[in-house]
Amino acid sequence: MTNRSTCDHIVIMRAKMKPAILSKKERDRLRCRQEIFVAAETLFKEKGLDMITMEEIAQKAEVAKGTLYNYFPGKSELINNLLSSKIEDLLISLDNVASQKDTDYIGVLKRSVTEIMMTFEREKEFFKAICGLKNNNLNVDRRLLHKPITDFLQRLIETGIQQDLIRQINPSTQTTLLFSIVQGFSFR
């Protein structure tokens, strides 16, 4: 099981609310969900995405199999939710970087790229497993990994173009190039 204070912190971050707003039942539900994520991720690292079963995840999370299926109807939904959770954490960090008033645009761009690279490095095996699914028989939505990050980068690049800090080239092309470079360095 995971440390209670860690789960409480995650509950608060996920809900983006003050803890007093969440009922005990909601906090318990979010804590259980996080424990399932931790168990699933541990097993993914040990055995790979394709090789684990929902029953193994339930055992590792110390929840009934029916409880696991109440949260996630199948392994694809669990993986997609875990991926979304990791990307959501990254986007919160990126929003914090972008909202810092004492940093100029180039500083925000550098810190944002650094944050993305650090997240990719920290989550390297999981993200590589997602990208490396050959036939995607798990029905994992890879756009959950790419789209939110590229959308953030594109908004950042468009801001640089508006401020005449970045040459006026198609922002989508610049975003694709920047994301490909970050992903290439992170997955080497």
Side-chain angles (χ1 to χ4, degrees):
M1 288 290 197
T2 57
N3 179 312
R4 184 179 177 102
S5 63
T6 302
C7 286
D8 287 344
H9 173 70
I10 292 167
V11 166
I12 294 165
M13 289 297 292
R14 286 276 183 278
K16 298 182 188 174
M17 304 177 189
K18 295 178 182 168
I21 294 175
L22 296 174
S23 71
K24 180 178 179 347
K25 184 176 182 178
E26 290 168 320
R27 287 191 313 270
D28 289 344
R29 184 162 172 75
L30 289 170
R31 189 175 298 110
C32 182
R33 179 183 165 96
Q34 184 60 28
E35 289 170 352
I36 291 168
F37 281 165
V38 169
E41 191 167 7
T42 300
L43 290 169
F44 292 152
K45 288 177 182 174
E46 290 173 6
K47 296 183 174 186
L49 293 175
D50 292 327
M51 302 308 293
I52 64 165
T53 65
M54 291 293 275
E55 187 171 325
E56 290 173 305
I57 295 169
Q59 287 175 338
K60 184 81 170 173
E62 298 179 1
V63 298
K65 199 161 78 168
T67 300
L68 176 60
Y69 280 103
N70 282 335
Y71 282 87
F72 307 103
K75 193 163 57 167
S76 296
E77 291 82 7
L78 173 58
I79 293 169
N80 284 329
N81 275 272
L82 180 57
L83 178 58
S84 291
S85 171
K86 290 179 180 302
I87 296 302
E88 182 182 320
D89 288 345
L90 172 60
L91 292 175
I92 289 169
S93 295
L94 291 172
D95 285 343
N96 289 337
V97 167
S99 66
Q100 292 177 355
K101 302 290 184 218
D102 63 334
T103 308
D104 65 347
Y105 173 79
I106 299 300
V108 169
L109 182 60
K110 285 179 181 177
R111 289 168 79 181
S112 296
V113 169
T114 300
E115 186 66 35
I116 294 167
M117 290 181 75
M118 287 173 39
T119 299
F120 274 38
E121 183 62 31
R122 192 172 45 254
E123 303 295 343
K124 180 188 248 178
E125 295 308 313
F126 181 69
F127 289 165
K128 277 176 83 171
I130 296 293
C131 292
L133 288 172
K134 298 284 187 254
N135 59 9
N136 202 8
N137 59 350
L138 288 173
N139 197 25
V140 173
D141 188 355
R142 292 182 185 99
R143 291 173 301 177
L144 295 171
L145 174 60
H146 298 278
K147 185 155 177 31
I149 299 170
T150 56
D151 286 351
F152 176 88
L153 289 173
Q154 183 157 342
R155 285 191 310 275
L156 198 57
I157 288 169
E158 288 169 350
T159 299
I161 290 170
Q162 290 169 358
Q163 295 177 5
D164 279 334
L165 298 170
I166 294 181
R167 195 171 355 151
Q168 188 131 8
I169 302 172
N170 181 336
S172 179
T173 302
Q174 291 178 346
T175 300
T176 301
L177 179 60
L178 181 57
F179 185 75
S180 297
I181 291 168
V182 168
Q183 193 174 19
F185 274 112
S186 299
F187 291 167
R188 60 182 147 77

